[in-house]
Amino acid sequence: MNQSRRPGPSTQGRPRLLALGTSMVTCLAIGGSVASIGVPSPALAATTTCTVCGANLINNPGAEVGQGTKLDTVVKVPGWKLTRGAFTEAAYAWGGGDLTATTPGPKDHGKNYFYGGPDSGISVGTQTLSLTGATTSIKAGKVTATLSAWLGGFGGQGDWAALTVSFNGINGAVLKTLSVGPVTVGQRKGVSEMLYRAATTTVPAQATTAV
């Protein structure tokens, strides 16, 4: 899984960018012929040995694990690897942050949101997810994946966030990619806001991991 975000112009002496919030802000759910987010399908459970189907596979999908920063500093995001820039998580309670618990977006914001961090043009966080719990169904070409996220930006700035998954084979070769976002400043109508985006695809028959 790969989250990336880019800040807009500097505001009050620091580049601002924001991304996501809520406990289910990012989601990669796989299922049989129909992928469901967070809710296992009874029909699927009865017809397959897939042990990961119908659940969100992303670790710490909404930045709820860990202590979100309340300063313009970088803190470790549990479950995610910082691979570029200053990818971090911020608390909605941070008075100097870009989002608050009342920012338009998901119904349940939770306590934290993913944040691109200070002084970074592009920030990226990644994680690698095993698909071994669905190997038989994947090889049969019967598994779909739904990728979803609440994505946003700050005010009239051109900052953005995106979520991408690469389905990789046993040798690490990328077999297929799926992305949601970015949400543009025009789509947000120049206000701080998070909008829901989702996309679905069939998981490649040789896929063993999602990155």
Side-chain angles (χ1 to χ4, degrees):
M1 300 303 305
N2 180 312
Q3 293 193 66
S4 59
R5 40 198 53 80
R6 181 173 183 267
S10 177
T11 301
Q12 295 181 347
R14 65 184 180 90
R16 289 176 175 260
L17 85 166
L18 58 90
L20 324 163
T22 184
S23 59
M24 288 289 289
V25 67
T26 61
C27 181
L28 174 65
I30 66 172
S33 58
V34 178
S36 56
I37 298 177
V39 181
S41 165
L44 178 63
T47 59
T48 183
T49 57
C50 177
T51 59
V52 296
C53 292
N56 189 354
L57 301 185
I58 299 176
N59 298 308
N60 189 18
E64 293 302 285
V65 181
Q67 186 67 44
T69 184
K70 294 182 181 179
L71 298 169
D72 209 13
T73 57
V74 177
V75 298
K76 181 177 176 59
V77 183
W80 293 86
K81 179 181 179 180
L82 193 164
T83 54
R84 182 176 178 181
F87 178 80
T88 188
E89 60 183 24
Y92 284 107
W94 174 23
D98 297 327
L99 295 179
T100 71
T102 60
T103 298
K107 183 177 180 180
D108 179 10
H109 283 66
K111 64 179 182 179
N112 298 327
Y113 59 93
F114 293 110
Y115 170 56
D119 303 320
S120 180
I122 295 180
S123 294
V124 179
T126 62
Q127 57 182 267
T128 300
L129 310 173
S130 173
L131 301 178
T132 55
T135 300
T136 301
S137 298
I138 289 174
K139 286 184 176 179
K142 297 180 179 179
V143 175
T144 59
T146 297
L147 184 69
S148 62
W150 287 87
L151 305 169
F154 178 75
Q157 296 184 12
D159 45 354
W160 55 268
L163 179 67
T164 299
V165 59
S166 297
F167 295 101
N168 295 356
I170 193 168
N171 60 353
V174 177
L175 305 174
K176 180 186 283 189
T177 60
L178 182 67
S179 298
V180 290
V183 170
T184 67
V185 64
Q187 292 168 330
R188 294 187 288 103
K189 297 180 173 58
V191 301
S192 297
E193 183 179 25
M194 291 184 288
L195 300 177
Y196 181 76
R197 295 290 185 265
T200 299
T201 191
T202 300
V203 179
Q206 301 303 315
T208 58
T209 60
V211 181

